[in-house]
Amino acid sequence: MTTTAQTATENRTAVLEYEGVSAGYGEVAVCRDLNLTVRAGEVVALIGANGAGKSTTMLTAAGELTPIAGSVRVLDQPKRMSLAQLSKRGLSYVTEERSVIMGLTAAENLRLAGVSADDACAIFPELRALLRRQAGLLSGGEQQMLTLARALARKPKLLLADELSLGLAPQIVARLLAVVRDAATTDGVGVLLVEQHVRQVLEVADRVYVMRRGRVILEGPASEIAADLDAVQRAYLSGEEA
Ligand SMILES: Nc1ncnc2c1ncn2[C@@H]1O[C@H](COP(=O)(O)OP(=O)(O)OP(=O)(O)O)[C@@H](O)[C@H]1O
């Protein structure tokens, strides 16, 4: 059955569209025949075992890799653009790498990105007490709050988040994911998320693509994948031969 909420989302603008995309490194395709859409206001999770091709898919969306075949349309731009060009047009791309400058304070990191401390603290009030602290002295979770606040305060139309919460405690993961969910619901940000914390990501995602060996082998509403998660994990996420 199609719900009203589902129909409303389906009518929203696509901020990321893959059609028959192969992508990889040099001439070697590690992802094949990807068809994938992210619309404004929805959180889409990309899950799969190690080496399934999730980061390669993200790098291609971010303009860092050129598709070998097919087309990737980002933010409705008619031609391929670099990450720097897409960033100016409303893309935010965050990864597990701590991208803050460790020798600068939290406030200086925000200023450098052209983000006001008030906007960042509106997203994560926890940052208010940390603004004068050197980023290198913040915990891993606090650094990622700073990273995510900086990314979202720029009011992106599309957020690509690749293992933002790698190595962080479940409570922090939940906090980061809740903020991502809120940005989608409240501000209409389209989100593509790669996460190892599958159960947690399914709680905030609308839809899910499951990748295996460079291909999408399952897709559907997050609620359906969550309901069958044990079987999905055994079949596709364990990294073992199916
Ligand atoms: N720079 C590179 N050059 C060549 N091959 C690469 C490169 N980066 C990744 N690969 C290969 O591409 C395949 C997909 O890797 P990718 O990092 O996209 O997977 P992933 O699903 O993100 O994995 P993980 O969960 O371990 O991060 C792997 O076989 C990997 O070895």
Side-chain angles (χ1 to χ4, degrees):
M1 193 175 72
T2 307
T3 65
T4 313
Q6 240 175 336
T7 310
T9 306
E10 279 162 15
N11 289 337
R12 298 234 194 150
T13 322
V15 286
L16 177 64
E17 272 181 299
Y18 278 61
E19 276 180 29
V21 172
S22 294
Y25 305 90
E27 295 297 303
V28 184
V30 298
C31 296
R32 289 186 184 79
D33 200 25
L34 297 179
N35 295 294
L36 182 155
T37 306
V38 178
R39 295 180 191 283
E42 70 170 350
V43 176
V44 177
L46 193 55
I47 62 177
N50 289 332
K54 305 178 297 292
S55 293
T56 304
T57 303
M58 294 292 245
L59 287 165
T60 309
E64 294 281 84
L65 293 174
T66 304
I68 296 166
S71 80
V72 179
R73 200 168 171 94
V74 189
L75 297 170
D76 216 18
Q77 296 299 315
K79 63 181 178 73
R80 287 290 297 160
M81 289 189 175
S82 66
L83 176 55
Q85 290 170 317
L86 288 169
S87 297
K88 288 192 193 121
R89 288 163 176 80
L91 170 72
S92 278
Y93 176 46
V94 292
T95 69
E96 89 275 10
E97 284 164 33
R98 307 283 187 254
S99 60
V100 291
I101 299 179
M102 301 296 176
L104 299 182
T105 65
E108 287 166 342
N109 268 283
L110 294 170
R111 206 172 308 133
L112 198 64
V115 166
S116 86
D118 283 345
D119 286 350
C121 294
I123 296 168
F124 281 106
E126 299 92 320
L127 290 175
R128 180 69 68 193
L130 305 171
L131 287 172
R132 288 204 223 150
R133 199 171 297 173
Q134 264 199 350
L137 299 178
L138 300 176
S139 69
E142 289 164 346
Q143 287 176 3
Q144 290 305 62
M145 284 185 206
L146 182 59
T147 300
L148 188 54
R150 188 178 58 182
L152 290 175
R154 296 173 56 237
K155 300 278 176 221
K157 297 189 184 101
L158 171 62
L159 173 71
L160 302 173
D162 192 351
E163 299 202 25
L164 179 67
S165 58
L166 193 71
L168 300 179
Q171 239 178 323
I172 304 285
V173 178
R175 180 78 184 101
L176 294 169
L177 290 177
V179 165
V180 167
R181 175 70 259 177
D182 188 54
T185 305
T186 308
D187 300 324
V189 184
V191 181
L192 185 61
L193 268 182
V194 168
E195 267 298 333
Q196 295 292 354
H197 300 90
V198 174
R199 255 175 227 286
Q200 284 185 278
V201 82
L202 291 183
E203 283 173 21
V204 301
D206 297 297
R207 291 189 300 112
V208 183
Y209 293 94
V210 182
M211 288 190 76
R212 184 172 168 83
R213 295 199 196 121
R215 292 178 190 273
V216 170
I217 38 86
L218 184 66
E219 63 179 277
S223 54
E224 284 179 16
I225 306 273
D228 215 11
L229 189 58
D230 287 341
V232 169
Q233 280 187 310
R234 271 196 308 276
Y236 307 122
L237 304 179
S238 64
E240 292 162 13
E241 293 296 313

